[in-house]
Amino acid sequence: MKVGVLTGGGDCPGLNAVIRGVVRKGVQEYGYRFTGFKDGWRGPVEGDTVPLDIAAVRGILPRGGTILGSSRTNPFKQEDGVRRIKENLAKYEVEALVAIGGEDTLGVAARLFEEYGVPCVGVPKTIDNDLSATDYTFGFDTAVGIATEAIDRLHTTAESHMRVLVVEVMGRHAGWIALHSGLAGGANVILIPEQRFDMDKVCAWVTSRFKSSYAPIVVVAEGAMPKDGEMVLKDATKDSFGHVRLSGVGEWLAKEIEARTGKEARTTVLGHIQRGGTPSAFDRWLATRFGLHAIDAVRDGDFGKMVALKGTDIVRVPIIEATSKLKTVDPALYEEAGVFFG
């Protein structure tokens, strides 16, 4: 059998570990051949491939990014996109496809399987940790570690100048990165998309912190929204999946805090720093296991499924189930963190 592999959506620490796991086990135990498709769904649409064998995956385990490249290409927005995918799979004799990605990449895989019979197996990847049906996605642990380290560093400079420091983190419409890194980093305010925030309350927490002779750190997810207002955006243009590019709430928040409290406030937007660099040990472990189990699903002909983490077990769930709704922060978890606000 010849198997295709692609990585779509935003880059993420651990992608290369999945590719390595898929190829190593597929070649060594099942005798499969592999073709890598370049830049997410663009590769199958345009027939852009790269050789993928054991030599190609040697040494890539600790590397960030992806050796296959990535993009936010949506084949359903391309002219004859599905037909071109099916023709290119036949051209390169690819009998199964391992799609590694998040909500959008796997949404395409689910639709290709359900509606057009394209044999796909999914692997959940996103730093946002917002995919249903899996306890964790790889890339999340690394992103949280990077954000936590940044918050740790900002504490000292905030206290040196006695100013408010606002840290904007990624997460789109889920507050997992903000909640985990904010709690781990000792933030005094954490704002997430799942709970609209009250500016008067935020300012009260900030003022309370100064009264204790400490400078406050405010961690805000890029998708967080004020109670009386709309999402703050720098750029309202949309990608091929209909998503706007989030960012801007951190800067807006700092200006509001400064205007209302009279305290100097500054913003740090971590942005793509959270995506880059070496994956954590946990993400390497999880991504590798996902890769091993994904190629087992191919061997079993169990297509239309995504590998997922449940406790410490890797299980298979329908891709369509995993992408049908976002996994968001439970209000009870957010309430726990509230003990440390102010």
Side-chain angles (χ1 to χ4, degrees), residues 229-242:
E230 300 299 322
M231 186 175 292
V232 181
L233 299 172
K234 277 187 176 180
D235 184 355
T237 58
K238 297 182 178 181
D239 64 19
S240 62
F241 290 97

Side-chain angles (χ1 to χ4, degrees), residues 27-94:
V27 171
Q28 291 174 197
E29 296 200 11
Y30 305 137
Y32 292 163
R33 295 173 297 140
F34 289 89
T35 291
F37 286 104
K38 293 287 290 180
D39 304 332
W41 288 110
R42 187 191 69 79
V45 170
E46 299 182 8
D48 191 357
T49 66
V50 61
L52 203 54
D53 55 19
I54 287 182
V57 301
R58 187 169 292 128
I60 67 172
L61 177 64
R63 285 174 55 183
T66 165
I67 62 170
L68 296 179
S70 191
S71 74
R72 296 193 182 276
T73 301
N74 183 350
F76 293 104
K77 295 291 180 68
Q78 303 281 315
E79 185 175 353
D80 294 327
V82 175
R83 177 186 60 79
R84 291 158 68 186
I85 286 175
K86 296 183 79 170
E87 287 180 354
N88 284 321
L89 291 179
K91 175 182 176 182
Y92 293 102
E93 301 176 327
V94 171

Side-chain angles (χ1 to χ4, degrees), residues 170-189:
M170 285 181 166
R172 295 201 63 79
H173 304 294
W176 294 108
I177 295 176
L179 181 63
H180 281 239
S181 65
L183 199 56
N188 313 112
V189 182

Side-chain angles (χ1 to χ4, degrees), residues 254-335:
K255 289 178 180 177
E256 284 289 313
I257 290 172
E258 190 165 298
R260 292 179 183 223
T261 66
K263 300 294 185 179
E264 189 178 8
R266 294 289 185 271
T267 306
T268 298
V269 181
L270 295 183
H272 287 77
I273 291 173
Q274 297 157 92
R275 292 190 179 280
T278 301
S280 67
F282 178 84
D283 279 340
R284 297 187 205 188
W285 170 84
L286 181 58
T288 298
R289 291 190 70 202
F290 276 161
L292 299 176
H293 284 262
I295 200 63
D296 284 347
V298 170
R299 176 204 57 186
D300 296 340
D302 198 6
F303 300 116
K305 298 292 181 63
M306 181 191 84
V307 292
L309 181 69
K310 290 292 185 183
T312 57
D313 296 329
I314 305 295
V315 300
R316 299 174 194 169
V317 297
I319 301 175
I320 197 165
E321 175 187 321
T323 57
S324 60
K325 64 177 181 178
L326 291 179
K327 182 180 70 179
T328 53
V329 174
D330 188 299
L333 288 176
Y334 185 64
E335 190 176 339

